[in-house]
Amino acid sequence: MSKTPLWQAISNALREDMAEGRYTPGDKLPTEAELAERFGVNRHTIRHAMAALVEDGLVRTRRGSGAFVKGAPTDYPIGKRVRYHQNLRAAGRAPSKKVLHVETRPATAKEAERLDMTPGELITLRHGVSYADHQPIALSISEFPETRLPGIGDLLRGETSVTKALERAGVTDYTRESTRVRATLANATQALHLELREGAPLIYTTSMSVDQHGQKVEFGRTWFAGDRVTLTLEEDA
């Protein structure tokens, strides 16, 4: 079994320090010499660890002044009614989204099974990036049953809000039926969109949403930047 590189172990330890509030936004981190003494390594290893934190958007450096902790992770609650813009505004962040691509095509067998469709029926996939204060925090792919929701593809092409697009398609209310969460690492494409290094930690979620009649209206896959988001699982009343 391969061992975790020293620089990565140090980077992870500093991430944990920030997550636990030992270092808060705006705090100056210890000097390279102090960190080298703490972890028993040379300064080159410390620089490598710090570079990873800078690349992942957790730390900023100022020439001649040192390294400083950037903003705290965005608190993102996951419950039966997940509304991106409402959640981010409640956390004091400015939300925005960018639609990367929307495609409508025949559903594969696996896609059809997920959404209770027949293979070959039309499905619409929406690829997008979500931002908090102009920083990318999540990459997503959502699947919608075009046959069940005629015109949803065109609505999603002209509307960044999924809630508003579904409402215009006749879905007046929808809830999250299930959510699964696991850890993963960013591949090259995900790292590019999330402005991370390849191999950075991600939180991967899959979810199923149903309308007021219990029919499936959206299957979602989301990759959250692990160091920029704190997911809170909530049970809605």
Side-chain angles (χ1 to χ4, degrees):
M1 180 181 294
S2 60
K3 295 182 178 179
T4 301
L6 274 175
W7 67 266
Q8 189 173 336
I10 293 167
S11 177
N12 291 341
L14 292 172
R15 293 171 201 270
E16 186 174 341
D17 287 344
M18 287 182 270
E20 292 180 351
R22 196 168 303 156
Y23 302 121
T24 59
D27 283 353
K28 181 179 179 181
L29 292 176
T31 64
E32 286 183 2
E34 291 169 333
L35 290 172
E37 181 178 357
R38 171 185 168 183
F39 293 104
V41 298
N42 58 42
R43 292 194 183 188
H44 175 74
T45 303
I46 295 299
R47 291 190 195 105
H48 197 169
M50 295 299 292
L53 295 175
V54 170
E55 191 170 356
D56 288 348
L58 294 177
V59 169
R60 59 182 173 83
T61 57
R62 190 185 305 159
R63 186 180 294 275
S65 299
F68 298 82
V69 179
K70 293 182 74 173
T74 299
D75 189 33
Y76 192 90
I78 291 182
K80 288 183 179 180
R81 283 184 168 80
V82 177
R83 302 295 185 262
Y84 178 75
H85 286 79
Q86 292 177 15
N87 287 345
L88 267 290
R89 290 193 183 103
R93 302 297 180 95
S96 59
K97 287 188 175 184
K98 179 169 72 174
V99 178
L100 299 175
H101 179 59
V102 177
E103 59 176 319
T104 300
R105 55 165 173 75
T108 65
K110 182 175 287 189
E111 291 166 344
E113 182 181 5
R114 284 197 288 256
L115 290 169
D116 291 341
M117 300 168 61
T118 300
E121 286 188 315
L122 291 181
I123 188 173
T124 289
L125 285 80
R126 178 184 180 275
H127 305 246
V129 180
S130 299
Y131 299 81
D133 296 335
H134 307 292
Q135 182 181 52
I137 61 170
L139 178 68
S140 63
I141 302 175
S142 294
E143 302 170 5
F144 303 87
E146 180 77 25
T147 302
R148 190 177 303 142
L149 302 171
I152 188 65
D154 290 336
L155 292 170
L156 290 166
R157 288 180 181 91
E159 175 62 70
T160 58
S161 169
V162 170
T163 299
K164 289 182 180 179
L166 285 172
E167 187 175 288
R168 292 178 62 189
V171 180
T172 57
D173 188 27
Y174 69 102
T175 56
R176 186 173 293 220
E177 183 181 60
S178 63
T179 302
R180 299 185 69 182
V181 183
R182 68 176 174 85
T184 188
L185 301 177
N187 62 32
T189 302
Q190 292 162 345
L192 176 66
H193 287 301
L194 292 172
E195 299 176 11
L196 297 168
R197 59 183 172 81
E198 187 174 352
L202 302 179
I203 304 170
Y204 175 57
T205 70
T206 58
S207 62
M208 182 64 69
S209 294
V210 298
D211 66 11
Q212 60 271 33
H213 306 296
Q215 288 192 314
K216 296 176 179 178
V217 294
E218 178 189 5
F219 175 76
R221 289 174 284 160
T222 305
W223 294 263
F224 291 95
D227 295 319
R228 297 176 188 166
V229 175
T230 299
L231 297 184
T232 304
L233 302 181
E234 295 186 342
E235 189 162 340
D236 298 279

